Amino acid sequence: MPRIRKGHVLRYDDGQFFIEAAPFVTANLDEAELYFKYFDLMEAQTRALQATGKSVQITAVRFTITDIEVGQ
């Protein structure tokens, strides 16, 4: 049964997303760092500014997790 999850990503004004390793940006949402805790999100926002010199916006995302059973 699929489950809906919610989290947050950090998005730059140019539409790219923050990742924790150099070059610190990606154009693909599926490669963006996903945060579930507010404190982690705030720390990452500071790291993004330090790493790139650009501020980021907190953006909420929803995604579906589907468990797929593989034959044994």
Side-chain angles (χ1 to χ4, degrees):
M1 173 113 191
R3 295 176 288 154
I4 303 272
R5 293 287 310 261
K6 296 178 185 176
H8 293 86
V9 296
L10 297 175
R11 187 173 55 86
Y12 294 95
D13 288 337
D14 64 2
Q16 295 192 83
F17 301 94
F18 176 68
I19 56 176
E20 294 279 353
F24 304 106
V25 296
T26 182
N28 300 317
L29 177 60
D30 62 339
E31 295 173 357
E33 296 293 335
L34 189 57
Y35 301 95
F36 296 101
K37 296 180 181 176
Y38 181 75
F39 186 74
D40 293 341
L41 185 60
M42 299 311 298
E43 284 186 334
Q45 195 172 29
T46 300
R47 286 192 301 276
L49 181 59
Q50 290 172 344
T52 64
K54 299 177 185 176
S55 61
V56 289
Q57 301 297 317
I58 297 171
T59 304
V61 293
R62 286 182 2 163
F63 55 96
T64 303
I65 297 175
T66 304
D67 295 325
I68 300 174
E69 188 172 320
V70 178
Q72 298 176 4

